[in-house]
Amino acid sequence: MKLAVVGGGSTYTPELIDGFARLRDTLPVEELVLVDPDAERLELVGGLARRIFAKQGHPGRIVTTSDIDAGVADADAVLLQLRVGGQAARNRDETWPLECGCIGQETTGAGGLAKALRTVPVVLDIAERVRSTNPNAWIIDFTNPVGIVTRALLQAGHKAVGLCNVAIGFQRKFARLLDVTPGEVHLDHVGLNHLSWELGVRLGGPEGENVLPRLIAEHGDAIADDLHMPRAIVDRLGVVPSYYLRYFYAHDEVVRELGTKPSRAAEVAAMEKELLAMYGDPALDEKPALLAKRGGAFYSEAAVDLAASLLGGGGPAVQVVNTYNKGTLPFLPDDAVIEVQARVDGTGATPLAVPELDPLYAGLIANVTAYEDLALEAALRGGRDRVFKALLAHPLIGQFEYAEALTDKLIAHNREHLAWA
């Protein structure tokens, strides 16, 4: 089995490598190709990756290359973990929206749209290269904004599934609180990427006992602290929202906070510098503890499970993924991309039935889906007017004056990445 990771020079990659090494019985990788245009980072990450494999006795071969076509040739699956423009572009995404009093964040609001505009054309170009060398290869997208990018891939006819680590993070946390194994915890996870709620936490499978009320009653303070939301919100909703919902439920408070501290991009850039120095140490043969602060917790386990199911090695499995709606949420088009539990096998992902949604959640999902429609149109076709309409449609913006100003700022800060600008 051959896998390729495009964006293999990311500081995330050792987390992924560690998962491949530990779970080699689930996903027996014979060749792993790390693809990245940054040769210096690739050498550092690739060296550590080989040492991790060697320490854990993994027989697979790790190859590094800056040639996308050579890297993805004959791959059974290609994982995408790109950041077009790097941390510098992310830093801009997180700062210029604040000038208009709006959230500055890399996947939500105006910053998220900027990332989508930069990213979708690049991902589609890579996907076409994959299709030209191996049309049967699966594409697993971890590149944000995952929902929009996955929809772009699916609409272009690619065999693609989107992946995020939010759900597996909740699963692991709830398992610890309940003192059970993660495999015993089934989530009623419903929504869009970075706009989701845990409507139920079931023991033993989709039909198991819903212990969410007990979890909230006994561990509500810890859950709320992780979300950076008041306990009262969790109690009143009776569900657990993704921490990204804080941008919607406490927008103005978050804007004030963001204006008083360095951007997350600046923090991550400093962390990456330290991590890369560690990766260059020839004595290091395991992922460093600092990597846990980088983000992406449990990404490797989710990626291994998904790839194994898609490639037939792990058999059918139930996993939270991003895929076509196909009638799952009746108020959305079939070709909207949603994030729910799905049955995954060699044919792809088939969403499981979900509980009927309260209008409180359904309304916001429908609103953000409409924004994502317009965002994808802007990413595919370009043009100032399309950017403006997407911003105006976003529930965190929604005012003519803001949308006008943010459109100009977005284009000014991203001109080098927008062919039409």
Side-chain angles (χ1 to χ4, degrees):
M1 181 185 297
K2 176 181 176 180
L3 299 185
V5 180
V6 180
S10 168
T11 53
Y12 272 132
T13 300
E15 164 71 25
L16 190 60
I17 299 299
D18 178 72
F20 287 148
R22 288 185 294 102
L23 304 171
R24 56 184 174 273
D25 292 338
T26 302
L27 189 69
V29 178
E30 298 166 292
E31 182 177 354
L32 179 63
V33 184
L34 305 181
V35 185
D36 201 286
D38 190 325
E40 183 177 356
R41 287 175 67 116
L42 195 58
E43 180 180 359
L44 294 172
V45 174
L48 175 56
R50 294 186 185 98
R51 295 192 297 274
I52 291 173
F53 263 30
K55 180 180 181 180
Q56 300 197 31
H58 195 297
R61 183 168 72 107
I62 294 179
V63 178
T64 58
T65 180
S66 295
D67 186 332
I68 292 176
D69 295 316
V72 303
D74 301 320
D76 297 289
V78 178
L79 283 71
L80 304 180
Q81 51 176 37
L82 312 177
R83 186 178 296 282
V84 179
Q87 293 298 334
R90 177 182 180 175
N91 186 66
R92 293 192 293 270
D93 292 345
E94 293 177 342
T95 52
W96 55 261
L98 295 175
E99 298 170 8
C100 296
C102 295
I103 287 289
Q105 211 277 331
E106 66 161 340
T107 64
T108 301
L113 177 60
K115 193 172 197 304
L117 297 182
R118 293 193 305 269
T119 304
V120 166
V122 174
V123 165
L124 290 179
D125 176 67
I126 293 168
E128 286 300 327
R129 296 180 185 214
V130 173
R131 179 152 54 189
S132 69
T133 61
N134 183 7
N136 293 317
W138 280 101
I139 296 176
I140 297 173
D141 178 61
F142 194 66
T143 297
N144 282 320
V146 168
I148 295 172
V149 172
T150 301
R151 186 168 182 180
L153 288 165
L154 290 172
Q155 286 187 349
H158 298 289
K159 295 174 62 177
V161 180
L163 182 64
C164 180
N165 69 322
V166 167
I168 194 172
F170 275 131
Q171 182 199 43
R172 297 303 195 265
K173 178 177 180 60
F174 295 154
R176 289 195 304 272
L177 294 175
L178 294 165
D179 195 25
V180 299
T181 65
E184 296 176 79
V185 176
H186 176 94
L187 302 177
D188 289 338
H189 179 104
V190 183
L192 310 177
N193 180 241
H194 291 185
L195 191 89
S196 58
W197 297 261
E198 309 308 326
L199 303 184
V201 178
R202 302 183 182 276
L203 291 180
E207 305 303 322
E209 177 192 3
N210 180 16
V211 297
L212 181 58
R214 173 158 63 91
L215 266 174
I216 292 175
E218 296 177 1
H219 303 286
D221 288 341
I223 292 170
D225 285 347
D226 281 354
L227 300 174
H228 301 288
M229 295 184 195
R231 165 76 184 265
I233 291 178
V234 178
D235 286 337
R236 291 186 68 178
L237 294 179
V239 304
V240 178
S242 159
Y243 47 83
Y244 286 92
L245 265 298
R246 185 168 185 255
Y247 299 124
F248 294 81
Y249 293 162
H251 176 275
D252 293 353
E253 178 185 349
V254 175
V255 168
R256 288 192 294 270
E257 286 180 7
L258 293 175
T260 63
K261 61 182 183 180
S263 69
R264 173 62 177 166
E267 295 175 354
V268 170
M271 200 179 305
E272 286 195 332
K273 185 176 180 180
E274 189 174 350
L275 283 169
L276 289 170
M278 292 179 177
Y279 295 172
D281 180 356
L284 183 67
D285 55 8
E286 61 185 11
K287 63 178 184 179
L290 178 62
L291 186 55
K293 298 181 180 180
R294 171 68 180 81
F298 309 114
Y299 160 41
S300 61
E301 295 172 42
V304 167
D305 288 345
L306 178 55
S309 295
L310 291 172
L311 299 175
V318 173
Q319 187 170 1
V320 173
V321 297
N322 286 261
T323 191
Y324 272 150
N325 179 43
K326 299 176 183 176
T328 308
L329 300 181
F331 54 89
L332 295 183
D334 285 349
D335 65 349
V337 166
I338 60 174
E339 187 174 276
V340 293
Q341 291 275 14
R343 183 181 186 274
V344 183
D345 58 24
T347 66
T350 302
L352 302 182
V354 301
E356 183 177 355
L357 284 186
D358 187 293
L360 178 64
Y361 315 122
L364 186 53
I365 290 171
N367 191 337
V368 175
T369 297
Y371 151 76
E372 290 189 348
D373 290 346
L374 295 168
L376 182 54
E377 184 75 2
L380 294 174
R381 300 179 63 190
R384 186 187 187 282
D385 192 52
R386 293 188 181 92
V387 174
F388 167 79
K389 288 179 178 177
L391 290 169
L392 188 61
H394 200 293
L396 294 183
I397 300 167
Q399 297 185 53
F400 178 85
E401 182 180 356
Y402 289 170
E404 281 282 10
L406 289 168
T407 298
D408 290 337
K409 290 178 182 293
L410 186 155
I411 294 172
H413 284 288
N414 292 275
R415 198 176 300 277
E416 65 183 295
H417 299 289
L418 306 176
W420 51 267

